[in-house]
Amino acid sequence: MVRAGSFVAALMLAVAVAGPAQAQTRVAPDSKAQVQLSFAPIVKRVAPAVVNVYAQRTLRQQGGSPMFDDPLFRRFFGDGPLGMPKDRVESSLGSGVIIDRSGLVVTNHHVIKDATEVKIALSDKREFEADVVLKDDRTDLAVLRIKEKGDYPFAEFGDSDQIEVGDLVLAIGNPFGVGQTVTQGIVSALARTQVGVSDYRFFIQTDAAINPGNSGGALVDMEGRLVGVPTAIYSRSGGSIGIGFAIPGAMVKFVAEQAKSGGGLRRPWFGATLQNVTPDMAEALGIKRPVGTLVAGMSANGPAARAGLKVGDLLVAIDGFEIDDLDGFGYRYSTRPIGGTAKLSIIRQGKPTTVEVGLVAAPETVPRDERMIRAISPFQGAVVANLSPAVAEELRVPNALEGVVVKSVETGALAGRFVQKGDVILEVNGTKIDTTKTLEKVTQSDPGSWRVAVQRGGEVVRFAVRS
């Protein structure tokens, strides 16, 4: 039997030598070996490392009255007929990939989000409990570890930066819970950034069939190496129509290495606000097309400022990789290891030059002092924190801002009608909000109406609310 990888290489060579005219010639197979060409050798090597991930989460049903949450009431009446709702258990199913022999597994964050129990099922039907080692909703990745020690089959990483549009790939996972399934296709596009399923929008697009349940599985090349983790599809029906997206292996590997170190996820801090280049801006900058990303603002003592970057510099490449837009820069920079340097190619006043930026973690210059706002106000149910470079990096807030940021909002909370994650609260009823303590104090009074100013997406939004 001829290996699929060898066949593909031979076919590509034949096309290159024959030229366009001869490449279209159809020839019947002249041997049994050619008829039996198969991807089976690749699948046999990789499939044992692809697992099913079962996650369970326990949800507390909301009662109709605050008395249902009173411990004394629950002691006498318990759950059930008098209206105290019982806990509800939800289950989700996805896929994962074992990436080292000790049982470290990568999957999607959305597969295990809020899970209270996680189990791993291997292709040989063995099941194990697993711990969540690291989870990151910004990349939609999570790292698990099988609790039982053993020598597990694992997939090796490939170089996702070396794959090209047109390369053959296989997707392995558990779509719709039917069991492990392999689909084949090509790389349809690279560096897809218009896919809003994570903060780092830089995906491999493939027409290999990806369906619900494939999330967190494996996208492998013709050497059986992991080059991506399927995470989303574009679909009008809920099923595959040949437009699937995978997180590049470089990002997966970066997150996995952070999990192995045990120190939590630390990304390099750039310390500058960037913006995409429009066609009009490109013309003004003297470049032929709108590529790269423009420095629009800078933290006074951030890595970008210390490297000598200036507002108006156009970033066009990082460590030799061309930058198409802001998302492309974010992906490339965020996968660089802390402790080294990154070489940036820039255009300054029409002239090309290079600078080296030190790769350091964002500092927490002020205590974040996270607080849940409980008083009846436009912020009731919001978790807020003091801004620092570290918090700004986590929430993708412009570094130049100071004050208080909304870190999260409870589901169904009053705050959800007025503010959202990432909003910087500037002013409430004429009082400048400089700390979370100030905001909490302001919300403890009932002024009858609220006048609020927040920074959202680069704009100041003002609104008024009556109590």
Side-chain angles (χ1 to χ4, degrees), residues 62 372-383 406 408-421 423 443 445-450 452 456 463-467:
Q62 298 296 318
M372 164 75 80
I373 304 300
R374 302 188 183 280
I376 297 176
S377 70
F379 310 102
Q380 186 182 42
V383 175
V406 177
S408 63
V409 178
E410 278 193 330
T411 302
L414 182 62
R417 297 167 56 185
F418 306 107
V419 295
Q420 60 191 40
K421 178 180 176 180
D423 282 356
T443 58
S445 62
D446 185 1
S449 63
W450 302 88
V452 179
R456 177 183 299 163
F463 61 87
V465 183
R466 293 187 64 84
S467 298

Side-chain angles (χ1 to χ4, degrees), residues 223-234:
E223 298 297 328
R225 299 169 303 186
L226 185 67
V227 294
V229 167
T231 189
I233 59 174
Y234 177 82

Side-chain angles (χ1 to χ4, degrees), residues 186-260:
I186 63 168
V187 174
S188 306
L190 296 170
R192 284 297 197 213
T193 58
Q194 304 302 313
V195 186
V197 295
S198 73
D199 282 357
Y200 294 99
R201 293 171 290 190
F202 194 89
F203 297 94
I204 299 169
Q205 182 181 328
T206 179
D207 68 348
I210 294 173
N211 287 290
N214 273 105
S215 290
L219 188 74
V220 301
D221 63 15
M222 292 297 99
E223 298 297 328
R225 299 169 303 186
L226 185 67
V227 294
V229 167
T231 189
I233 59 174
Y234 177 82
S235 175
R236 298 183 184 276
S237 63
S240 173
I241 59 172
I243 305 177
F245 302 97
I247 303 168
M251 177 64 81
V252 180
K253 187 175 183 180
F254 173 81
V255 173
E257 291 297 331
Q258 298 269 321
K260 287 180 182 180

Side-chain angles (χ1 to χ4, degrees), residues 276-291 294:
N276 282 323
V277 179
T278 65
D280 289 342
M281 291 167 63
E283 185 177 350
L285 291 166
I287 56 177
K288 295 180 179 179
R289 56 194 181 97
V291 295
L294 199 67

Side-chain angles (χ1 to χ4, degrees), residues 2-16:
V2 179
R3 288 185 179 273
S6 302
F7 164 66
V8 173
L11 179 61
M12 292 174 65
L13 179 60
V15 170

